[in-house]
Amino acid sequence: MDGSDIEMGRSAAEYGLPDDEIVAEIPVYLTQKLEKQLHLLQYPQKIGDVRPGELLPRAARVKPIHGQIELDIPLDVHSPMYNKRRGAELGEGIADDGRLLDTTTLVSVNIPRSSDYLAGLMHNGELHLTAIDKVTQLRPSLKYLDRIAEKDQASRKADDSDDEAAEKKEVKAQTVQVTVRSAQAEEALRQQQNSIAYMQQRLEEEPWSNLAYFDVGTDESNALRADLVADNREDLVYSADADEYLTAVIGSTTPDV
């Protein structure tokens, strides 16, 4: 839709908008070829723009059912800013061979959807828009700290064999115990299974699937970029008048008094 299709009955000033001169009209097209496949990944701890190759992961993986993504971003262990002593201590959380912590793992976290996002591509003076299906933030995963804590706990348990044996007996007794649940207990169990803890367990139980990562500028990335250009050039028919259209876009068209 261009400006010639809209009846211009009022000036922009009457809507409380700056009465600027129109210097260009850009055709807008919508495409659906990738609308169910585009995910917007946000890096809240990254300052500034992400440059091509800057966050190139060493490995990438996804849990398709839950949609969780992990990226292993390499760390520069030779940088003078890298603390090798601390890196060796934290490296115990990823391996037992004395290696340094040489990667940081970013894990996707879903955020509440407060608005809809579109991916826009300028092509030959035209703006092509594709709806973004999902928005997630990539935040550092600190699972290596959990593994270090587990190792410390296991070491403390090994120092007290009597307590360890007693704990094993208690666990064994629990595993062979037979119980009959009442209707109320069954309902409580159902609610528990629908809880956040249960969903987290289901997420952890789903296996990872490896992803092939293609950065900006690669042949694979350019091929998908071409799918952001619409093939259909049919006009979008909009039956509303100018007032209804502006109200749908910017809200009330009544000037503030």
Side-chain angles (χ1 to χ4, degrees):
M1 178 183 298
D2 57 33
S4 62
D5 297 326
I6 302 177
E7 181 183 354
M8 305 302 292
R10 302 179 183 179
S11 67
E14 292 182 80
Y15 292 108
L17 302 175
D19 195 12
D20 294 334
E21 178 186 1
I22 297 176
V23 298
E25 293 182 357
I26 301 175
V28 178
Y29 296 98
L30 303 178
T31 177
Q32 298 178 333
K33 288 184 285 187
L34 296 177
E35 69 169 352
K36 298 299 182 182
Q37 304 177 47
L38 291 187
H39 288 191
L40 175 62
L41 302 181
Q42 299 177 340
Y43 298 82
Q45 293 189 328
K46 177 70 176 66
I47 300 176
D49 297 332
V50 178
R51 299 184 299 273
E54 182 180 4
L55 295 177
L56 188 64
R58 181 174 297 168
R61 50 197 170 269
V62 64
K63 292 188 175 184
I65 297 177
H66 292 86
Q68 190 175 59
I69 299 173
E70 278 192 353
L71 303 179
D72 291 336
I73 308 299
L75 298 175
D76 184 7
V77 298
H78 302 293
S79 169
M81 304 299 294
Y82 184 86
N83 187 332
K84 291 188 176 182
R85 182 185 64 82
R86 183 58 176 161
E89 294 175 355
L90 297 178
E92 297 180 2
I94 58 175
D96 295 324
D97 55 4
R99 63 183 289 188
L100 297 174
L101 181 68
D102 57 356
T103 61
T104 179
T105 298
L106 302 179
V107 59
S108 63
V109 178
N110 292 333
I111 58 177
R113 188 160 185 162
S114 58
S115 61
D116 294 325
Y117 289 85
L118 297 169
L121 175 66
M122 289 297 299
H123 178 74
N124 294 334
E126 303 168 341
L127 177 59
H128 297 258
L129 300 176
T130 304
I132 292 178
D133 183 58
K134 188 175 181 181
V135 180
T136 58
Q137 290 185 350
L138 290 173
R139 304 176 184 177
S141 171
L142 303 178
K143 289 184 178 180
Y144 57 88
L145 295 180
D146 295 334
R147 297 190 185 101
I148 293 175
E150 291 172 358
K151 289 182 178 180
D152 292 342
Q153 185 178 6
S155 177
R156 289 194 298 269
K157 285 184 178 180
D159 295 337
D160 195 344
S161 59
D162 293 338
D163 290 345
E164 183 178 0
E167 182 180 353
K168 286 183 178 180
K169 288 182 180 180
E170 182 181 354
V171 171
K172 183 177 181 180
Q174 292 176 355
T175 58
V176 299
Q177 184 178 4
V178 178
T179 59
V180 177
R181 297 190 182 95
S182 64
Q184 293 82 357
E186 290 290 348
E187 176 63 18
L189 178 61
R190 187 188 67 81
Q191 294 179 359
Q192 179 184 6
Q193 290 176 338
N194 291 331
S195 66
I196 297 177
Y198 177 72
M199 298 301 295
Q200 181 65 28
Q201 179 183 354
R202 292 288 301 274
L203 171 62
E204 294 176 355
E205 290 175 351
E206 182 185 354
W208 290 103
S209 297
N210 292 329
L211 282 176
Y213 183 95
F214 302 103
D215 205 8
V216 176
T218 60
D219 293 340
E220 293 82 0
S221 175
N222 291 335
L224 286 178
R225 187 175 186 272
D227 286 339
L228 296 176
V229 178
D231 296 328
N232 191 346
R233 295 297 198 275
E234 295 181 4
D235 291 338
L236 178 63
V237 179
Y238 194 76
S239 58
D241 60 24
D243 285 349
E244 293 173 333
Y245 176 77
L246 288 176
T247 299
V249 173
I250 64 175
S252 175
T253 58
T254 303
D256 294 334
V257 178

